Amino acid sequence: MSLVFSKIASPSLRHHLRRLYSTTPTTSTSGDKIGRIADELLTLSPSELSDFSTLLRLRLGVSLISSSSAVPASVSGSGAEESGEAEKEKEKTVFDVRLDKFDAAAKIKVIKEVRGFTDLGLKEAKELVEKTTVVVKKGLTKEEAEAIAAKLKAVGATVVLE
């Protein structure tokens, strides 16, 4: 088991694992099983470790772990309802402006507005507008997205902020 501990880069994680193994009585079969799992984890590539980490967090119901002392919600006793409420409280900060439809008479005005806030030429802007139900601008702040949406609505377009 000391071979497993020596390959762990984080001193704090090594310390916690040593404490866990020294205070928890285990049978030889469970210790062997844990040792096999640890050995298999050490053979994974960095991308496989990243995938495993993501999968484990999803299965345990843990969001991104910012410190090594974080405990899964199911283990700490707090319910899944609390984590759901925390996610609802987070306000969206990045928006996309999606053009759903526009009046046929206002097509030229919509194309001009799209050209105004993008770096597209006349032909590219026309093709973009004609696609409809298309995202015309991505990754905007709330204020920028609302300003663009208001301009497009003023010329007769139906716009949705995503």
Side-chain angles (χ1 to χ4, degrees):
M1 220 23 101
S2 64
L3 175 64
V4 173
F5 290 139
S6 66
K7 289 187 176 184
I8 297 174
S10 168
S12 128
L13 183 58
R14 273 197 309 258
H15 171 72
H16 288 296
L17 288 174
R18 281 194 181 115
R19 257 187 46 212
L20 177 69
Y21 278 106
S22 67
T23 59
T24 307
T26 59
T27 62
S28 63
T29 58
S30 67
D32 293 340
K33 181 178 178 182
I34 292 171
R36 282 193 310 264
I37 292 170
D39 290 338
E40 286 183 39
L41 287 174
L42 291 172
T43 62
L44 296 177
S45 70
S47 64
E48 291 172 327
L49 280 173
S50 175
D51 293 344
F52 172 75
S53 172
T54 303
L55 177 65
L56 187 61
R57 274 190 242 123
L58 288 172
R59 294 254 175 109
L60 294 175
V62 177
S63 61
L64 289 176
I65 298 174
S66 60
S67 68
S68 62
S69 62
V71 178
S74 60
V75 175
S76 67
S78 59
E81 300 163 46
E82 291 179 10
S83 64
E85 290 173 5
E87 289 178 12
K88 289 179 185 176
E89 292 175 4
K90 293 180 183 175
E91 189 174 328
K92 190 172 179 180
T93 57
V94 178
F95 293 86
D96 297 340
V97 178
R98 185 181 76 205
L99 176 65
D100 277 346
K101 59 184 178 179
F102 58 89
D103 295 333
K107 180 178 178 180
I108 294 173
K109 292 178 185 176
V110 173
I111 293 171
K112 285 182 181 180
E113 282 300 324
V114 169
R115 285 190 68 203
F117 60 83
T118 63
D119 293 331
L120 299 176
L122 181 60
K123 180 181 176 185
E124 292 85 8
K126 180 179 181 265
E127 289 172 355
L128 182 70
V129 168
E130 288 174 344
K131 288 181 185 176
T132 60
T133 313
V134 65
V135 175
V136 292
K137 193 78 171 175
K138 294 182 180 182
L140 301 170
T141 64
K142 186 174 183 177
E143 294 81 20
E144 292 172 327
E146 287 175 345
I148 290 172
K151 287 179 182 178
L152 288 171
K153 286 178 184 177
V155 294
T158 304
V159 180
V160 176
L161 297 181
E162 297 179 327

